[in-house]
Amino acid sequence: MLTSTLQYLSRWILPLLLLGPVAKGIAADDVIERPQVRAGDSWTYRQTSLITRNSGDFSYRVTGVGADRIKTVSDGFSDLYTTDWNLIESSAGIKIAPHEGYFQFPLEPGKTYAFKSERTVARMRTPWEGTVTVADWETIDVPAGRFRALRVDINGSFGHGPPARRARLQLSYWWSTDVKRWVRYDLWMSKPASKATDFNTRTELVQYAPAS
């Protein structure tokens, strides 16, 4: 349980402490509409630190779908998302108001928008903000196979005060309609005024199991 807890914290809470084959997918000129998930859908991912090369697997399983919410369980923790897959809160001890704001469906190349939220962890509130750019379709390989996926780039910062005092944030997601979710997620973070990379991970899809 300790190992799974540490893996979970590295995905959600640790950043706050930093203050050949035919590709799968839809045609490159199509957009990705909001995924329609069902209770029982599950995804297994492998997260690798690009600094230490340590890795570990974790899974998400949908436990409920409402008109505007998706409930999941991961490593014993329950999470609540919008139907656009923006995190709202987790039983691990994080709340985001109003939500992450990273995804606004439909997604299509060239689309841009801003996000702004406030994360609360252990009574510490931290503002996050930045810009999202939907890039283009790419063919990528992950442990689950080869996919044609739409890349979504996120650039922002979090913390209080002027830009020089805020931590920097860069994320990229690769979304595939074949799995109703992203198949790869790269995360890079740096402490305020730091020229070094302080947190850098790659998370890749290992298995997708639709509800039976």
Side-chain angles (χ1 to χ4, degrees):
M1 180 63 183
L2 177 59
T3 299
S4 64
T5 300
L6 290 175
Q7 290 176 343
Y8 194 90
L9 293 178
S10 75
R11 303 203 302 274
W12 295 127
I13 298 178
L14 181 58
L16 290 174
L17 303 180
L18 296 176
L19 259 126
V22 176
K24 300 177 181 179
I26 59 177
D29 59 348
D30 287 337
V31 303
I32 295 183
E33 301 292 343
R34 178 182 293 122
Q36 301 299 310
V37 299
R38 297 188 298 160
D41 288 346
S42 67
W43 302 261
T44 299
Y45 291 98
R46 179 166 300 143
Q47 184 179 81
T48 302
S49 168
L50 300 182
I51 300 175
T52 67
R53 310 311 300 184
N54 293 332
S55 65
D57 291 3
F58 62 93
S59 297
Y60 290 100
R61 179 171 56 84
V62 176
T63 58
V65 179
D68 59 355
R69 296 289 187 269
I70 299 172
K71 295 181 180 179
T72 69
V73 63
S74 176
D75 292 342
F77 296 99
S78 58
D79 302 324
L80 183 65
Y81 294 85
T82 69
T83 49
D84 276 354
W85 278 115
N86 291 301
L87 185 66
I88 301 171
E89 64 180 35
S90 168
S91 65
I94 180 172
K95 292 185 178 182
I96 306 177
H99 53 70
E100 268 182 329
Y102 292 164
F103 308 116
Q104 292 183 12
F105 289 91
L107 297 175
E108 58 184 319
K111 184 175 182 177
T112 62
Y113 49 90
F115 72 91
K116 187 173 184 178
S117 64
E118 182 180 77
R119 300 190 180 213
T120 301
V121 178
R123 298 183 181 180
M124 181 174 68
R125 296 181 178 180
T126 307
W128 292 54
E129 61 182 338
T131 302
V132 179
T133 301
V134 182
D136 209 341
W137 291 90
E138 299 179 6
T139 299
I140 63 169
D141 292 296
V142 296
R146 177 169 290 184
F147 295 87
R148 174 163 290 171
L150 186 58
R151 178 171 174 163
V152 179
D153 293 324
I154 299 165
N155 285 275
S157 62
F158 60 93
H160 298 276
R165 294 178 55 190
R166 296 168 62 89
R168 292 174 293 157
L169 168 74
Q170 293 178 4
L171 308 93
S172 292
Y173 289 87
W174 284 262
W175 276 85
S176 170
T177 57
D178 289 292
V179 303
K180 303 179 183 180
R181 212 165 188 266
W182 46 270
V183 296
R184 181 173 138 187
Y185 159 47
D186 289 357
L187 167 64
W188 177 92
M189 288 183 178
S190 180
K191 295 178 182 178
S194 173
K195 296 182 180 180
T197 297
D198 297 298
F199 192 70
N200 192 10
T201 61
R202 174 164 294 166
T203 305
E204 299 174 300
L205 183 69
V206 174
Q207 182 181 29
Y208 165 58
S212 56

